[in-house]
Amino acid sequence: MKTREQLYGKEAAGLLRDISNYHCIRREQVYRLYPNKDRTVLDNLLSYLTRQGRIFHDPQADIFYDSSDFETDREMLAALWVLADFADRAEYHSPDDFPTKIIFFADGETYEIICVPPDKEALIEHALSQSGEEDGRRIFIVEDAEQIARLRVSDPAAFCTVTDTGEIQYFKQKQEEPY
């Protein structure tokens, strides 16, 4: 007979890794990042890790944190929603250095998720130009579609807006019409 550790140790380690790397993650994002795992099992693992004091939970926001200060990174949460759209195809994902929030591999391609705060388009452009070669296909998260016209970036994979509840609207390159 297998022990609980043998049955669920890999899943618990994966959850702990993700929460530690991204610092905050919504419960619904956990479900989306682990699409082939039973939600009850995921909930039990999250409860177990919380009881152990290895992660922390804000029940009002339903967000899990890697520390008790409950510091929410809204850009990271937005990037996690985009990553969740690729969860069934993503082979590996990890946080990255500014301006990239998350880098991941899917379908033989490398993708970067980059958040563009309003009125910071020039800063993002400059940071990308200083970083040298592109690491992968870039997905830009903007707060509203009007920012797209103000961004001068080469060969973006996509632009999108993301709500707090995970609704994503993707846009064609340099156009403000959804597809």
Side-chain angles (χ1 to χ4, degrees):
M1 181 190 270
K2 290 187 177 185
T3 66
R4 182 178 296 162
E5 175 63 29
Q6 291 170 320
L7 291 172
Y8 302 115
K10 185 177 178 181
E11 287 87 353
L15 282 172
L16 189 57
R17 173 200 171 271
D18 288 346
I19 295 168
S20 296
N21 281 336
Y22 299 121
H23 308 296
C24 60
I25 188 168
R26 293 184 183 280
R27 182 185 305 270
E28 188 61 34
Q29 290 173 325
V30 169
Y31 295 157
R32 299 262 315 272
L33 289 173
Y34 293 86
N36 300 323
K37 302 296 179 202
D38 182 85
R39 287 182 178 209
T40 303
V41 170
L42 291 171
D43 285 337
N44 289 339
L45 290 170
L46 290 167
S47 293
Y48 174 74
L49 292 170
T50 302
R51 282 192 312 274
Q52 278 193 323
R54 298 186 73 187
I55 62 173
F56 302 88
H57 182 232
D58 175 358
Q60 286 185 310
D62 208 13
I63 298 175
F64 293 89
Y65 297 90
D66 66 340
S67 72
S68 60
D69 65 9
F70 288 20
E71 190 173 318
T72 302
D73 181 346
R74 296 208 175 283
E75 289 183 353
M76 182 58 77
L77 291 174
L80 284 165
W81 284 123
V82 173
L83 175 63
D85 260 4
F86 292 84
D88 59 337
R89 301 184 327 238
E91 300 163 32
Y92 177 79
H93 54 88
S94 177
D96 203 12
D97 295 326
F98 178 82
T100 301
K101 288 303 259 187
I102 296 176
I103 190 167
F104 68 97
F105 305 101
D107 302 326
E109 299 270 355
T110 303
Y111 290 87
E112 296 176 86
I113 303 172
I114 300 168
C115 293
V116 184
D119 301 320
K120 300 292 184 196
E121 296 85 3
L123 173 66
I124 298 298
E125 291 169 21
H126 179 72
L128 292 173
S129 71
Q130 297 302 306
S131 68
E133 291 184 30
E134 288 186 28
D135 290 331
R137 302 191 66 202
R138 292 177 170 152
I139 301 170
F140 293 89
I141 300 173
V142 294
E143 287 204 19
D144 71 54
E146 293 175 7
Q147 285 181 265
I148 297 169
R150 295 191 302 264
L151 263 173
R152 288 179 292 273
V153 293
S154 62
D155 198 28
F159 297 97
C160 64
T161 58
V162 181
T163 67
D164 287 341
T165 58
E167 296 170 40
I168 302 173
Q169 180 71 58
Y170 289 97
F171 295 87
K172 294 179 181 178
Q173 294 183 17
K174 297 294 181 184
Q175 295 178 2
E176 295 184 15
E177 35 182 275
Y179 66 88

